[in-house]
């Protein structure tokens, strides 16, 4: 038994919870209640706490802890919103969480001595995402409530009835939800009567247990209510709290929510004229009947098993459930898995930990927003899908309980993981056909990506009235009905058209949102009429007058406003106009090229430097400002091919990965828009590739023989950071792998490790700190070209300004989305809509998640995670999960407006997970068929959705058919 590792692990779990408590604000409604209750108790004492009209729906048990927190805050004058307040509130539940993890370890050691499984079970419990979020982020007290319940049913396993009853009373004194487990306690005591030969003794123990269970609630309630009103007040408190939320579900993602019952009043109709109240009680009675059946028929009576079944069964199928009511049930399932050494119980606890985590995260992030009641299409879809997944996990638990309770048949966890070779196998040689295939796929991707990208011609010579007012006289030679305007850079200007009499016919405000985008305005003009065009504090590249048939009307005069009529497009579309954030990043590329003051400074400049290169090569055209991003999107395909091939050492999997990415929705759409996310994603995957190469090389040749991938990895990391700060997230994953492979190298016990360690330390500082910093600073060269006085001090102020912008951003957007919706791509970003089409035609561009990579990748990631936590993992699987997690987890803590495309870089490791899972399928022919099937599905879906990825006009029926989910709104 490696107790030293256990204590280190528990210590890290405790520290992690407390750090999360310090950096997050907690669920606002619970936080305000906890702080207010603690302050009132500390200042007025228990006798005055439950005053008339004062809201306090918790029984007295835990109020003493909150009162102590209030007392400490008062002594040290700690403000309500201070991180120290959050720390104090999370401290006791955090310790209890770790105690629960220790308990799981202790029970597992008894069931599985001389095995690593107990430590693995304890690790999963200690770092369980549901518990981490509930205690560290939400700052609820469920850990303190669940611990006495765990001890209660564990003691019942040992037939220690009276101590168990007392611990149940402790849980009851803390939260009324302990009443949910009352039937299990009763079943255990009644079963003891049936098993006991001395019936009088058994009955006495039963009534004695009931009395003992009442001691903690009554003892803790006495200072609050006094002797005379103690029992009536306690009864009113418990049953009043239980009945205070008359809804089918109160944000609990369970079976009733999957049926549409979230926040539905109990009296409303659910199904076939049956109310939610009736339906909920029917399911609860059904679950209770199952409890009685298992208790009576069980040949292997287990209170832990029954408690896990009943707690999670009532949560899943009962009414009036809150989102956190599943926490003790999940812990009981994990403890039962440790007691019975059953992988199905562990899998159910694992699955419900993930569904519960999504449940809590959804409710937490939407608190205080317009979607607080989860009524939007996106959040309701999350609730339904998560509720269905939770129900499946509960049914899995039911089958395990049936098999164990009735037949005593447990499916044990693997005793040891599959041994991996200390020195990994080498890479297969590249064959000519493989190179040709990769080149062919890359060329096909290039043709697909560059086609219909943007016009190669556009007006290039503006009338530049920046910081001034310029006028031009224009004579229209024919009858015109429309005026087209193509503005350039403006920091707040205008364009005005007046007739010969000075009457203003048209005014257009020119700002950041109008740059390099054609606009059309109704402006009837008779032949021969002379107009005066005034431009103030703006660039205007071209004007165009159109007749009723849409033809260009000849003009004379106008100077630079009308000198490039041949470059005027036939129609207005995304091919010749900027859309979405192109008006920031594409514009900045133009400004940098022409040494103008830059508008967009909220991201590092490398991505805009690369956009600038495309503009320099092809002009300020739709093709020019999108060229570089599209090129990098094409290059992602062979990079993904090489990454998957190196990861799995299988040629065919590289081809599958490359094909899937070539047909991925997000890669296609995000690379064809002049924004910077494609560059960050490319360099993140490139850095991961070099780190993978480095790790494999270190295990084969040592650190000193792996300097090339070490250095190249540092270059890629620096470029990623200079493209977008999400590259810094990747640095956390790279650091973990860098240190992890050094540990693996040490375990190989090769001579000369001290020298290798020094090389790794020096290389880490040189290639992953100093070199990236230099690259990052060099990305600001265009700033220096524009202004030679630009200094390091100015550079630092740029960083401060960027951080301030992102940390204080409070903007909202109709297509923003939270991280948990990204996993299934539920809320696409609507980038563009073409409003210049004939009736019956539609054209839009949206950033969608590729269904194959994102959905199959999510399944593959869950499979990899399950393998890791069930003692069947691998170094490669752990590496993919680390790279994925370090890209996604930071977004869980971000409170600003976020979008689906922020998941783009994470999706690269969804692809890696698919590759790894396919490579682990023993039947190679089956794996290859699955790979081909995935590619075929990706191709069919890409063809169907190509119009909404490219902006191609299509009939309305086709457009509306693509909006397959209620949260899809892009036409």
């Amino acid at each position: 038994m490696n107790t030293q590792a256990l204590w280190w692990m528990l210590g890290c779990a405790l520290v992690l919870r407390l750090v999360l408590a310090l950096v997050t604000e907690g669920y606002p409604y619970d936080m305000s209640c906890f702080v207010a209750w603690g302050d009132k108790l500390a200042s007025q004492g228990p006798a005055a706490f439950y005053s008339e009209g004062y809201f306090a729906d918790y029984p007295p048990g835990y109020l003493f802890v909150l009162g102590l927190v209030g007392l400490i805050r008062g002594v040290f004058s700690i403000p309500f919103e201070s991180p120290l307040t959050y720390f104090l509130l999370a401290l006791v539940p955090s310790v209890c969480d770790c105690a629960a993890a220790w308990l799981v370890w202790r029970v597992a050691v008894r069931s599985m001595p001389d095995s690593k499984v107990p430590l693995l079970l304890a690790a999963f419990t200690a770092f369980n995402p549901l518990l981490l979020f509930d205690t560290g982020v939400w700052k609820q007290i469920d850990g303190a409530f669940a611990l006495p319940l765990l001890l209660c049913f564990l003691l019942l396993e040992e037939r220690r009835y009276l101590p168990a009853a007392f611990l149940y009373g402790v849980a009851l004194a803390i939260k009324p939800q302990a009443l949910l487990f009352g039937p299990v306690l009763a079943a255990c005591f009644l079963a003891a009567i049936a098993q006991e030969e001395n019936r009088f003794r058994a009955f006495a123990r039963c009534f004695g247990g009931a009395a003992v269970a009442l001691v903690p609630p009554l003892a803790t309630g006495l200072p609050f209510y006094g002797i005379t009103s103690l029992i009536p007040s306690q009864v009113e408190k418990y049953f009043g709290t239980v009945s205070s939320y008359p809804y089918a579900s109160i944000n609990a993602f369970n079976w009733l929510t999957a049926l549409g019952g979230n926040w539905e009043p109990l009296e409303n109709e659910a199904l076939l004229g049956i109310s939610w109240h009736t339906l909920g009680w029917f399911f609860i009675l059904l679950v209770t009947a199952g409890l009685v059946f298992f208790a009576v028929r069980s040949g292997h009576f287990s209170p832990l098993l029954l408690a896990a079944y009943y707690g999670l069964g009532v949560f899943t199928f009962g009414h009036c459930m809150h989102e956190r009511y599943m926490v003790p049930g999940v812990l009981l399932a994990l403890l039962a898995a440790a007691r019975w050494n059953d992988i199905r119980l562990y899998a159910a606890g694992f699955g419900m930990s993930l569904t519960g985590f999504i449940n809590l995260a959804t409710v937490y992030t939407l608190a205080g927003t317009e979607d607080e009641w989860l009524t939007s299409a996106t959040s309701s879809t999350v609730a339904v899908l998560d509720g269905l997944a939770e129900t499946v996990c509960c049914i899995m638990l039911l089958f395990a309980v049936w098999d164990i309770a009735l037949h005593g048949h447990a499916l044990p966890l693997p005793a040891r993981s599959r041994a991996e070779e200390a020195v990994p196998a080498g890479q297969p040689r590249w064959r000519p056909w493989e190179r040709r295939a990769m080149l062919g796929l890359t060329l096909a991707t290039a043709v697909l990506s560059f086609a219909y990208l943007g016009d190669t011609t556009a007006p290039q010579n503006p009338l530049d009235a920046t910081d001034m007012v310029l006028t031009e006289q224009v004579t229209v030679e024919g009858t015109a009905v429309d005026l087209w305007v193509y503005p350039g850079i403006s920091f707040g200007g205008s364009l005005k058209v007046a007739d010969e009499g000075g009457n203003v016919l048209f005014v257009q405000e020119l700002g950041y949102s109008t740059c390099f985008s054609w606009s059309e305005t109704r402006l009837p003009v008779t032949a021969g009429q002379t107009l005066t065009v005034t431009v103030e504090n703006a660039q205007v590249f071209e004007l165009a007058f159109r007749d009723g048939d849409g033809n260009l009307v000849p003009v004379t005069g106008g100077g630079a406003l009308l000198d490039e009529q041949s470059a005027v497009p036939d129609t207005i579309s995304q091919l010749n106009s900027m859309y979405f954030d192109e008006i920031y990043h594409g514009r900045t590329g133009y400004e940098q090229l022409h040494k103008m003051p830059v508008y967009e400074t909220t991201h590092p400049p490398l991505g805009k430097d690369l956009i600038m290169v495309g503009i320099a090569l092809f002009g300020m055209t739709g093709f020019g400002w999108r060229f570089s991003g599209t090129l990098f999107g094409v290059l992602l395909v062979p990079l993904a091919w090489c990454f998957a091939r190196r990861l799995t050492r299988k040629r065919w999997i590289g081809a599958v990965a490359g094909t899937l990415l070539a047909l991925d929705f997000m890669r296609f759409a995000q690379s064809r828009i002049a924004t910077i996310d494609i560059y960050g994603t490319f360099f993140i995957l490139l850095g991961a590739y070099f780190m993978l190469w480095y790790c494999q090389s270190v295990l084969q040749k040592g650190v000193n023989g792996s300097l090339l991938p070490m250095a190249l990895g540092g270059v890629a990391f620096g470029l990623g950071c200079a493209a977008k700060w999400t590259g810094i997230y990747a640095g956390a994953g790279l650091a973990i792998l860098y240190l992890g492979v050094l540990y693996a190298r040490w375990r190989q016990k090769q001579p000369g490790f001290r020298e290798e360690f020094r090389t790794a330390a020096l290389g880490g500082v040189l290639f992953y700190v100093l070199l990236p910093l230099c690259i990052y600073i060099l990305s600001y060269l265009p700033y220096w070209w524009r202004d030679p006085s630009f200094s390091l001090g100015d550079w630092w102020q740029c960083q401060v300004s960027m951080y301030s912008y992102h940390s204080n951003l409070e903007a909202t957007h109709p297509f923003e989305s939270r991280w948990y919706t990204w996993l299934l791509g539920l809320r696409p970003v609507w980038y563009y809509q073409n409003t210049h089409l004939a009736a019956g035609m539609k054209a839009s561009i949206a950033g969608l998640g590729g269904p194959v990579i994102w959905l199959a990748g999510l399944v593959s990631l869950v499979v990899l995670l399950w393998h890791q936590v069930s003692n069947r993992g691998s170094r490669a699987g752990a590496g993919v999960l680390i790279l994925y997690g370090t890209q996604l987890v930071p977004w869980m803590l971000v409170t600003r407006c976020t979008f689906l495309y922020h998941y783009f870089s994470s999706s690269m490791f969804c692809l890696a997970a698919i590759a790894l899972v396919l490579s682990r399928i023993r039947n190679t022919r089956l794996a290859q068929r699955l790979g081909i099937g995935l590619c075929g599905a990706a191709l069919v879906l890409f063809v169907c959705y190509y119009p909404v990825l490219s902006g191609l006009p299509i009939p309305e029926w086709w457009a509306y058919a693509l909006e397959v989910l209620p949260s899809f709104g892009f036409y």
Side-chain angles (χ1 to χ4, degrees), residues 671-862:
S671 67
R672 288 162 49 93
I673 180 173
T675 56
I676 60 176
D677 296 274
I678 185 65
Y679 307 109
T681 299
F682 178 86
F683 291 124
I684 286 169
L685 184 59
L686 185 65
Y689 174 81
F690 288 133
M691 181 54 68
L692 174 62
W693 177 11
Y694 171 76
C695 290
Q696 293 173 342
S697 178
V698 166
L699 296 178
Q700 293 169 337
K701 299 182 290 185
V703 175
N704 294 332
S706 308
L707 295 180
L708 179 59
M710 179 194 294
L712 292 175
V715 172
F717 173 57
L719 292 171
C721 296
K724 197 171 184 180
W725 275 3
T726 49
I728 299 174
Y729 301 166
L734 299 179
I736 295 171
L737 297 184
Y738 192 86
L739 297 174
V741 76
L742 197 60
Y743 172 72
R745 179 62 175 172
W746 172 75
R747 293 194 63 184
Q748 288 180 338
K749 306 300 181 184
Q750 296 291 327
F753 179 75
R754 283 180 178 272
E755 182 182 349
E756 290 190 38
F757 181 84
R758 286 194 295 269
T759 302
L762 179 62
V765 173
L766 177 62
F767 295 125
Y768 284 93
V769 178
L770 297 179
L771 179 60
L773 180 60
C774 292
I775 293 172
Y776 188 88
I777 294 174
L778 287 173
S779 69
Y780 280 82
L781 275 176
Y783 284 52
W784 180 79
W785 293 337
R786 182 184 74 246
D787 180 7
S789 66
F790 185 80
S791 64
L792 284 177
D794 297 321
W795 171 85
W796 178 249
Q797 285 304 313
C798 289
Q799 315 314 305
V800 173
S801 175
M802 275 191 286
Y803 177 78
S804 176
Y805 169 82
H806 291 290
S807 60
N808 296 311
L809 182 65
E810 296 181 357
T812 60
H813 193 280
F815 288 91
E816 66 178 292
S817 56
R818 308 291 180 173
W819 66 266
Y820 48 82
T821 68
W822 304 343
L823 307 179
L824 299 175
L826 295 181
R827 187 58 170 166
V829 187
W830 192 5
Y831 290 145
Y832 170 78
Q833 181 184 31
N834 192 333
T835 58
H836 304 275
L837 296 174
M841 298 297 290
K842 294 285 185 179
S844 284
I845 298 177
L848 291 92
V852 175
I853 289 181
W854 290 34
L855 299 185
L858 180 62
V859 172
S860 299
L861 286 164
V862 172

Side-chain angles (χ1 to χ4, degrees), residues 25 27-39 54 80 89:
E25 297 180 354
Y27 191 65
Y29 307 119
D30 287 351
M31 288 291 295
S32 59
C33 287
F34 290 166
V35 173
W37 295 345
D39 289 348
Y54 185 74
F80 166 68
L89 288 172

